Amino acid sequence: MAKNVGILAVEIYFPPTCVQQEALEAHDGVSKGKYTIGLGQDCLAFCTDVEDVISMSLTAVTSLLEKYGIDPKQIGRLEVGSETVIDKSKSIKTFLMQIFEKAGNTDIEGVDSTNACYGGTAALFNCVNWVESNSWDGRYGLVVCTDSAVYAEGPARPTGGAAAVALLIGPDAPIAFESKFRGSHMAHAYDFYKPNLASEYPVVDGKLSQTCYLLALDSCYKQFCKKYEKLEGKQFSVSDADYFVFHSPYNKLVQKSFARLIFNDALRNASSIDEAAKEKLGAFSTLSGDESYSNRDLEKLSQQIAKPLYDAKVQPTTLLPKQVGNMYTASLYAAFASVIHNKHSTLAGNRVVMFSYGSGLTATMFSLRFSEGQHPFSLDNIATVLDVDKKLKSRHEFTPEKFVETMKLMEHRYGANDFVTSKDISLLSPGTYYLTEVDTKYRRFYDKKEGENASHCENGVVANGH
Amino acid sequence: MAKNVGILAVEIYFPPTCVQQEALEAHDGVSKGKYTIGLGQDCLAFCTDVEDVISMSLTAVTSLLEKYGIDPKQIGRLEVGSETVIDKSKSIKTFLMQIFEKAGNTDIEGVDSTNACYGGTAALFNCVNWVESNSWDGRYGLVVCTDSAVYAEGPARPTGGAAAVALLIGPDAPIAFESKFRGSHMAHAYDFYKPNLASEYPVVDGKLSQTCYLLALDSCYKQFCKKYEKLEGKQFSVSDADYFVFHSPYNKLVQKSFARLIFNDALRNASSIDEAAKEKLGAFSTLSGDESYSNRDLEKLSQQIAKPLYDAKVQPTTLLPKQVGNMYTASLYAAFASVIHNKHSTLAGNRVVMFSYGSGLTATMFSLRFSEGQHPFSLDNIATVLDVDKKLKSRHEFTPEKFVETMKLMEHRYGANDFVTSKDISLLSPGTYYLTEVDTKYRRFYDKKEGENASHCENGVVANGH
């Protein structure tokens, strides 16, 4: 059986078009800090009319294959996680098959996995299981998480974002699964859903969604600890992992989530928490679940106690989610990419605990272990390929007015047929795919900006080198 | 590692409401035999306003757990395949979690898999791989295929259908995967898709879809044979399997498909075809792919040559697809259930080759091997639980007028909110779930008809005992 199965390579793509949260605050007439501190977000990326979840995933997959020198024939499974529905029957995976058909490879298993922001994690588990199964044919798996998060005007709009992440899966990985340490919590809930089929916007109950998220976190952590303790014969606490990566709808919820683990550890009398802190947090032990999820004093205290550990174990994972926004399925893996970007030279031997959450609801806490790896599948090379700083620096800031205007256009375009796009690719880097047309039969046509892998100025536009 | 992983148990549910194809022919004013012989279909099941893909899957899962005596806590993975979108973000799986939450089990992996009629096969592969992976925790997997196939008025409407199939997955199965014998063909095509998000109806190019299906079949069979020959050191032909089960949009395509395998075997000079037949079919060997998919003479001749083998290896799989119609993801597994129903006492030791197709497109040919199994997971018991004859006999035939009227109501209900259903459950068997209400927030409410597992007359309505 294949050993140390996990993630061999990572690529991320996000649109070069973005809007600053500070500028949005002023534009929306809300109090200063409402988005930047209240939500904890810095910036929000979004698709203009030339990009969508299909074009972003075409870009991410092509880029990963090229940068790691992977022949498309070496891929035996390809799975997509997404909650951005462009077609209710035809999977995004079949659009990506265009890349592989050209290389003469159509024998590739896998389709799309769907449940809100969790679909990417489902796709990842499926790919890893395939490599460990009797069905594995020795080739690589490829997982793509792609989403465009957009909201109707109102308080949820600043929690948008957009990105596609591609993950190459195989044995002897520098990022290997610790498959036995895993806890899931799945249940029937209406915290965030998309029942209005003609609209791209979700129905959101913000307060309920946060409670569901934290409740699922508690439940997953409990399961995770139980399984760890059964197998390892000792208690698990936050001290036993070097990093915690959370699905990040907005950073404030990540801060609350890590504090929640600290509260859990305190109640479990775990070694990660000192006696004084345990005593303080213990005062809240009699709260009912619902009360404890909304108690401001507990929130404040636990975040305060968690702060030093948060700075060490969580803060390095927050860069991309804060800069790009909620990327739904891609969000967790963008956070994961952030820790590789920030810490690649010191990660070998470290454990990272991941928490994936999708409204509706499905959630899993799972564990990965880093090793240095071998080129091209080394942590250092993954960080080089990710090239996060360059991608962030080469973005183009839109004014809030232009952002709102773009959202209006996109509302009309969602589900529409018989139009051509602006084909304005001046802001896109060479190698980026873009939408050119949707014909009367709703068939979508894409093109690729020439000059892939270039990292120089072209036509006077700064290319971001991916 | 778990051995002989596969299908332990099967349950199928289809609505008791149906319309005869012969009656539809008369109503639609088409030539006699257009649907019954031209399409090869006998009858079509459909959901009235009290049923949908969620209620059908609740019914199928509950029934399987009850009839096989499975504690909901014993399920560790639950996956759904469907192309009937009721919510674009919240998975059908999360609705099913209601059954397991009640039993205190929320630690269940898996979400929904999507690509047209192929999603169920993807879910099945995912569940089998999980049991064979390091992540397996010793519990059962459960796969649900659920779909309602409805079409706009016109030539495609008689190819509708509706059903949910539930499959229990685990080791030491009476229906075990031969995982190494497998060929997939996946590509980008617009043969059938659902880009009009507000409508339940697909966009269909009937001719293209048939060509895509047959092309995918050729390609999968080629891959399948190649892998078989590599591992077994001898050529594969249709003689090497006892049954062939095809995804069945309509029976005529199944007839064409099996004939296509015979044509392939003739061109490959395989032992399944005698010399005289090889010579006759060889005359068509110079046709281009496209020509050969539409050549009527070839179609006629190959079906004629295939007839005795079709009667032996395919006909026993056609009962439910002909009687219920296209069930999308459930279609292949309803055909599979038909062969168990018809042949359970002689299946031990037999091999069945399955061909799964989903437009867009994704297709896989794979192999299963039967053994008698042990109660309750025996072929005989599976046939008993399926209880196909009874389920078919206890149906209620609608007139074409009433069918059309129901379709009109369902058009209005699709994607709608703020309504209560008729709650008319007189035609439903005890134990069947049904939709009662969709509130202003689009939240869906279901109830269960009392008296589950009853198989007697109740309120003057013949119950079908499931």
Side-chain angles (χ1 to χ4, degrees), chain B residues 26-42:
Chain B
H27 173 266
D28 293 355
V30 301
S31 56
K32 203 170 154 55
K34 191 176 165 85
Y35 303 159
T36 49
I37 298 164
L39 294 173
Q41 291 298 108
D42 295 331

Side-chain angles (χ1 to χ4, degrees), chain A residues 224-232 234 236 351:
Chain A
F224 183 97
C225 291
K226 200 170 128 189
K227 290 185 188 172
Y228 182 94
E229 283 155 31
K230 199 174 164 188
L231 284 156
E232 297 290 301
K234 58 178 183 179
F236 183 90
R351 170 183 288 149

Side-chain angles (χ1 to χ4, degrees), chain B residues 356-376:
Chain B
S356 182
Y357 178 82
S359 292
L361 60 89
T362 59
T364 301
M365 183 173 279
F366 60 102
S367 181
L368 301 170
R369 179 74 82 170
F370 290 105
S371 59
E372 265 176 37
Q374 288 205 307
H375 190 83

Side-chain angles (χ1 to χ4, degrees), chain B residues 30-346:
Chain B
V30 301
S31 56
K32 203 170 154 55
K34 191 176 165 85
Y35 303 159
T36 49
I37 298 164
L39 294 173
Q41 291 298 108
D42 295 331
C43 192
L44 179 166
F46 57 92
C47 291
T48 64
D49 79 321
V50 292
E51 294 198 87
D52 61 22
V53 289
I54 295 164
S55 69
M56 289 194 295
S57 55
L58 284 165
T59 303
V61 166
T62 307
S63 179
L64 183 141
L65 296 176
E66 282 171 4
K67 290 185 183 159
Y68 287 90
I70 307 291
D71 183 332
K73 285 189 177 169
Q74 290 177 272
I75 304 296
R77 192 171 177 107
L78 169 60
E79 305 215 32
V80 177
S82 181
E83 61 161 290
T84 306
V85 172
I86 286 182
D87 191 288
K88 294 184 294 180
S89 170
K90 182 174 161 60
S91 63
I92 295 171
K93 188 261 176 78
T94 62
F95 286 91
L96 295 175
M97 283 310 301
Q98 293 172 96
I99 298 167
F100 300 91
E101 284 175 73
K102 261 188 243 167
N105 181 11
T106 61
D107 187 16
I108 301 184
E109 291 190 14
V111 294
D112 290 5
S113 288
T114 318
N115 186 86
C117 307
Y118 184 89
T121 297
L124 175 59
F125 289 177
N126 289 341
C127 251
V128 169
N129 290 347
W130 172 69
V131 174
E132 293 177 349
S133 78
N134 279 325
S135 304
W136 188 45
D137 66 1
R139 292 184 293 167
Y140 297 121
L142 189 53
V143 172
V144 182
C145 311
T146 183
D147 267 307
S148 165
V150 289
Y151 293 86
E153 277 189 285
R157 176 156 277 183
T159 63
V165 170
L167 307 167
L168 190 73
I169 309 302
D172 309 317
I175 305 153
F177 271 73
E178 299 189 305
S179 299
K180 295 294 182 197
F181 305 152
R182 187 180 291 185
S184 290
H185 178 81
M186 308 222 173
H188 173 51
Y190 280 109
D191 56 331
F192 162 113
Y193 49 118
K194 292 181 176 170
N196 187 348
L197 302 171
S199 166
E200 191 164 7
Y201 300 142
V203 173
V204 195
D205 182 336
K207 196 175 173 302
L208 176 63
S209 194
Q210 187 174 301
T211 303
C212 285
Y213 183 109
L214 295 172
L215 189 150
L217 177 67
D218 279 356
S219 178
C220 288
Y221 190 52
K222 214 169 166 177
Q223 282 289 347
F224 183 96
C225 291
K226 202 170 126 188
K227 289 183 189 172
Y228 182 93
E229 282 155 31
K230 200 175 166 188
L231 284 157
E232 298 289 300
K234 58 179 183 181
Q235 195 181 38
F236 183 89
S237 80
V238 295
S239 306
D240 293 301
D242 301 282
Y243 297 99
F244 287 85
V245 182
F246 297 89
H247 168 57
S248 178
Y250 47 93
N251 179 259
K252 188 73 183 182
L253 186 54
V254 173
Q255 297 171 38
K256 287 184 189 180
S257 296
F258 185 70
R260 189 80 202 173
L261 296 188
I262 296 296
F263 180 54
N264 271 276
D265 273 6
L267 298 189
R268 294 164 63 237
N269 196 24
S271 58
S272 55
I273 318 293
D274 67 33
E275 291 307 316
K278 268 178 202 164
E279 198 169 312
K280 282 185 210 163
L281 287 169
F284 296 92
S285 65
T286 54
L287 289 179
S288 74
D290 265 1
E291 285 168 342
S292 85
Y293 296 124
S294 56
N295 188 299
R296 291 293 181 105
D297 294 332
L298 169 58
E299 190 182 307
K300 218 172 183 173
L301 177 67
S302 58
Q303 283 191 46
Q304 198 185 334
I305 292 169
K307 184 72 171 51
L309 286 171
Y310 176 90
D311 289 345
K313 291 175 190 280
V314 184
Q315 195 277 332
T317 75
T318 60
L319 176 65
L320 284 169
K322 286 175 76 144
Q323 281 292 332
V324 180
N326 189 0
M327 298 151 265
Y328 289 161
T329 56
S331 196
L332 179 68
Y333 301 96
F336 181 70
S338 301
V339 77
I340 297 178
H341 165 70
N342 282 317
K343 300 285 180 183
H344 56 95
S345 58
T346 59

Side-chain angles (χ1 to χ4, degrees), chain A residues 383-408:
Chain A
T384 304
V385 165
L386 282 170
D387 211 3
V388 168
D389 283 336
K390 202 174 201 178
K391 283 175 186 163
L392 286 175
K393 267 182 214 145
S394 60
R395 295 199 291 179
H396 180 91
E397 284 175 25
F398 271 36
T399 62
E401 289 74 20
K402 213 172 157 198
F403 164 64
V404 171
E405 197 183 296
T406 306
M407 288 297 103
K408 275 203 183 114

